[in-house]
Amino acid sequence: KITEDGVRFQSNIDGSYHMFTPENVVQTQTSFNSDIQMQLDVCTGYDEPRKNAEKALRITSDWLVRAKKEWEAQREQGYEGMLFPIVQGHFSEDLRKQSAEFVASLDMPGIAIGGLSVGEPHDEFVHFMNYTCESLPEDKPKYVMGIGTPEYILDAVQSGVDMFDCVL
């Protein structure tokens, strides 16, 4: 269950409940000594109604502020890893632009692009990948989440993406 506080879920192993918050997600990644961290975010599916996408973006942005504060506290204690905020915004240019501008305003070490490759047609992926990258600073490394086929990787590289991952 996604709330303003974080994400609560039940273990499929023992039935226990757990809560991910922006803060404990940063703390966990710090304990792994991750070189690059990702914030906790809400990713909406391709067919998600706009109202849900707006709420997801608001929660993701609020969580980023909290994650950044915790990341800065960890850095004060000697942690050297980088936090990449995640651009969301569903498949709405105005929401993507809003998210990209907010993320860029925080001047983080790099930027992640989320919310793509979630069931949309390929031409939509290309359009929103290009649109998102055009809204981001050129001097920051860009990381797109969840792509892995050669075609999608080439599309991302052409858009200016530097890094990507996928379960493929």
Side-chain angles (χ1 to χ4, degrees), residues 73-102:
Q74 296 295 325
R75 302 237 339 141
E76 288 175 8
Q77 297 177 28
Y79 173 65
E80 295 181 5
M82 297 178 283
L83 175 65
F84 280 23
I86 302 172
V87 175
Q88 285 290 351
H90 198 249
F91 295 90
S92 301
E93 288 184 357
D94 62 320
L95 296 180
R96 283 247 158 214
K97 186 170 184 71
Q98 175 187 334
S99 182
E101 288 175 352
F102 175 67

Side-chain angles (χ1 to χ4, degrees), residues 9-75:
F9 65 96
Q10 185 175 15
S11 170
N12 66 329
I13 297 170
D14 65 6
S16 61
Y17 286 93
H18 304 271
M19 184 76 174
F20 283 167
T21 66
E23 295 83 4
N24 71 24
V25 166
V26 167
Q27 293 163 4
T28 299
Q29 292 176 92
T30 300
S31 73
F32 294 153
N33 201 29
S34 297
D35 294 319
I36 299 174
Q37 292 192 20
M38 298 293 144
Q39 71 170 99
L40 185 63
D41 70 323
V42 181
C43 178
T44 53
Y46 179 65
D47 293 328
E48 197 77 26
R50 181 178 171 99
K51 180 179 176 182
N52 294 355
E54 290 171 349
K55 180 179 179 182
L57 179 56
R58 182 184 50 75
I59 290 172
T60 295
S61 298
D62 291 347
W63 287 352
L64 172 55
V65 171
R66 291 169 53 193
K68 182 180 182 207
K69 183 177 179 183
E70 181 61 33
W71 173 72
E72 289 169 339
Q74 296 295 325
R75 302 237 339 141

